[in-house]
Amino acid sequence: MTEAERIIGTPDIPDASGPGPEQSDERVPAEGPGAAGTGAVTAERPRGKRRIAVLFAVAVFAYALDLASKLVVVARLEHHTPIRIIGDWLKLEAIRNPGAAFGFGEAFTVIFTMIAATVIVVIARLARKLYSLPWAIALGLLLGGALGNLTDRIFRSPGVFQGAVVDFIAPKGFAVFNLADSAIVCGGALIVLLSFRGLDPDGTIHKD
């Protein structure tokens, strides 16, 4: 038994004295076979750093795309006739939205600003335990979208933390929104899907 444990390693579980197979079935690695002991820890550290890099790369891309689109909309579309993309079904129309995503809650601009700032802090703290690529993409989309709308809240009129967000994508029969809203919704939907499948941010699969 001692020789077998030396070859295959000891499962990485909180209580090694308990029944090994039953405990190890609760949470299993999601990405590739893990090594035991110090080697597994050393291998996971660079992988965690890569996932953090992916998170911030996705966030920067989403934020830059949202910021660039809003600059173009304010310069070329605001106070002008809306541009029809697909007849009356989809058009580009610049509006200033003091509320939350998709035009909800206009009376709580400061509260939504604080919520966006809190989301950014929570994502930054969660990144330290991030080992899952899908979670990195999802959190990156959330972070980029939150930063995009938070930038409007801080720097646009009527004042700091009360600024109105620039929205411009106007489907027929739906609220006007922007690319930051789209990133937030896509990131949130991906998180729901990952949670439903039992994949945790640390790269393990939660088996019920």
Side-chain angles (χ1 to χ4, degrees), residues 50-181:
R50 289 195 294 269
R51 300 299 182 259
I52 294 174
V54 170
L55 186 158
F56 286 108
V58 171
V60 168
F61 177 78
Y63 175 73
L65 196 61
D66 176 70
L67 182 61
S69 66
K70 289 173 179 176
L71 291 175
V72 172
V73 166
V74 171
R76 301 294 183 88
L77 189 58
E78 198 168 34
H79 307 304
H80 289 76
T81 303
I83 299 176
R84 299 181 184 275
I85 304 298
I86 308 177
D88 291 333
W89 291 98
L90 178 63
K91 59 184 179 179
L92 302 180
E93 180 180 7
I95 68 168
R96 298 294 182 110
N97 170 27
F102 304 107
F104 298 121
E106 296 184 2
F108 302 97
T109 305
V110 176
I111 295 177
F112 290 130
T113 303
M114 295 174 61
I115 292 175
T118 302
V119 169
I120 293 171
V121 172
V122 170
I123 293 175
R125 291 176 61 87
L126 184 60
R128 297 180 300 175
K129 301 180 180 179
L130 186 63
Y131 289 93
S132 167
L133 179 59
W135 269 94
I137 295 173
L139 293 176
L141 289 171
L142 280 179
L143 180 59
L147 284 172
N149 283 338
L150 184 60
T151 299
D152 284 359
R153 303 286 187 202
I154 295 175
F155 295 105
R156 296 194 187 277
S157 60
V160 178
F161 300 119
Q162 296 181 341
V165 174
V166 176
D167 289 335
F168 58 93
I169 304 174
K172 183 178 180 181
F174 193 71
V176 185
F177 60 97
N178 56 41
L179 296 183
D181 297 333

Side-chain angles (χ1 to χ4, degrees), residues 9-53:
T10 302
D12 186 12
I13 55 177
D15 185 5
S17 62
E22 288 77 9
Q23 291 185 5
S24 61
D25 285 340
E26 293 299 322
R27 298 172 68 87
V28 297
E31 300 181 46
T38 307
V41 176
T42 305
E44 285 185 349
R45 282 176 181 169
R47 188 180 71 176
K49 291 181 179 179
R50 289 195 294 269
R51 300 299 182 259
I52 294 174

Side-chain angles (χ1 to χ4, degrees), residues 1-11 36:
M1 179 63 70
T2 304
E3 181 63 19
E5 290 180 351
R6 187 186 65 82
I7 295 174
I8 65 175
T10 302

